[in-house]
Amino acid sequence: GNSVTQMEGPVTLSEEAFLTINCTYTATGYPSLFWYVQYPGEGLQLLLKATKADDKGSNKGFEATYRKETTSFHLEKGSVQVSDSAVYFCALSERGRRALTFGSGTRLQVQP
Amino acid sequence: NAGVTQTPKFQVLKTGQSMTLQCAQDMNHNSMYWYRQDPGMGLRLIYYSASEGTTDKGEVPNGYNVSRLNKREFSLRLESAAPSQTSVYFCASSGDRQTLSYNEQFFGPGTRLTVL
């Protein structure tokens, strides 16, 4: 079956530090990959996506590249802000299947 | 355009009580979903509905029932609540973009349920 593995948190960084949150996946087909973000007290919002190998998704300074050879989709940001503090979820969706498979989430805390 | 709305936001039940969580979307999406979120486990799919009148089990359906009342609304019912159902419940919806090979889902704000 499908699965998504994320690095455990919390990740604590100082403002303007570089961020990497690791995500690897297992899938039988050729999935689409997503990063969702959940701010305190809110539902999940799509942050970025990539639908095929070597695609790079980007949004709000965050980037992730779909690496088929390493089955990874690591999230990066060059300079984090306090407002980036949230829980980040990696997820995949296989072609022909409606449901998403989520990782366990990584909490990011950015200190001023 | 409210997106996906859920009611209630918070609920406390006693073991054995029943309740229905409501979800509605105004994006004309065909597909709707119910997830539960537990600490350290991400989101797990309870049930989904690919279109009005159809429902299918997800990863953790036991103890739940669903109704797709119309295209807009998808409710989740707990007939006899148990402490193991203490969780945060999220409703989501998506359009049918299968041919584009991705499935962007839009989430509601969640319902925090505690079963004592």
Side-chain angles (χ1 to χ4, degrees):
Chain A
N2 299 336
S3 67
V4 176
T5 302
Q6 290 181 235
M7 61 188 290
E8 291 193 15
V11 174
T12 303
L13 296 173
S14 298
E15 207 165 21
E16 299 184 2
F18 184 85
L19 168 71
T20 299
I21 299 178
N22 291 338
C23 171
T24 57
Y25 67 90
T26 302
T28 53
Y30 298 93
S32 297
L33 301 173
F34 306 85
W35 276 101
Y36 279 82
V37 58
Q38 184 180 30
Y39 298 103
E42 298 183 11
L44 279 70
Q45 304 173 25
L46 180 66
L47 180 60
L48 54 84
K49 64 181 182 287
T51 59
K52 61 183 187 297
D54 300 324
D55 268 2
K56 177 185 283 188
S58 61
N59 186 25
K60 299 181 181 179
F62 291 89
E63 294 182 340
T65 300
Y66 189 143
R67 301 286 188 199
K68 187 168 179 289
E69 64 275 14
T70 55
T71 61
S72 64
F73 193 54
H74 304 322
L75 182 69
E76 297 181 336
K77 187 175 186 182
S79 176
V80 294
Q81 306 299 314
V82 172
S83 57
D84 293 326
S85 298
V87 180
Y88 292 82
F89 292 92
C90 187
L92 70 81
S93 172
E94 277 212 83
R95 184 191 293 269
R97 292 174 61 88
R98 289 182 171 81
L100 289 171
T101 300
F102 284 89
S104 58
T106 302
R107 181 175 300 278
L108 170 65
Q109 298 172 334
V110 181
Q111 298 174 338
Chain B
N1 193 339
V4 180
T5 57
Q6 293 182 237
T7 56
K9 290 188 176 180
F10 302 94
Q11 184 71 48
V12 179
L13 294 178
K14 295 180 180 178
T15 297
Q17 287 185 316
S18 62
M19 79 160 295
T20 300
L21 282 64
Q22 306 287 352
C23 173
Q25 54 90 10
D26 61 3
M27 295 174 282
N28 201 36
H29 286 162
N30 283 323
S31 299
M32 297 185 73
Y33 314 80
W34 278 105
Y35 292 90
R36 60 178 288 172
Q37 182 183 27
D38 301 297
M41 300 187 72
L43 277 74
R44 293 180 293 170
L45 183 67
I46 304 171
Y47 270 94
Y48 69 97
S49 170
S51 62
E52 184 179 349
T54 68
T55 61
D56 286 285
K57 294 179 180 179
E59 182 183 354
V60 289
N62 291 344
Y64 305 96
N65 286 302
V66 291
S67 295
R68 183 72 181 269
L69 305 170
N70 47 56
K71 191 170 185 177
R72 290 187 64 249
E73 299 173 290
F74 188 39
S75 62
L76 178 72
R77 183 160 177 84
L78 287 70
E79 290 290 351
S80 179
S84 60
Q85 294 178 305
T86 294
S87 188
V88 181
Y89 291 85
F90 287 101
C91 179
S93 70
S94 68
D96 289 328
R97 312 280 298 262
Q98 299 297 312
T99 57
L100 297 181
S101 77
Y102 74 89
N103 179 19
E104 179 178 346
Q105 294 186 12
F106 296 82
F107 286 80
T111 295
R112 186 173 295 275
L113 175 66
T114 301
V115 183
L116 303 175

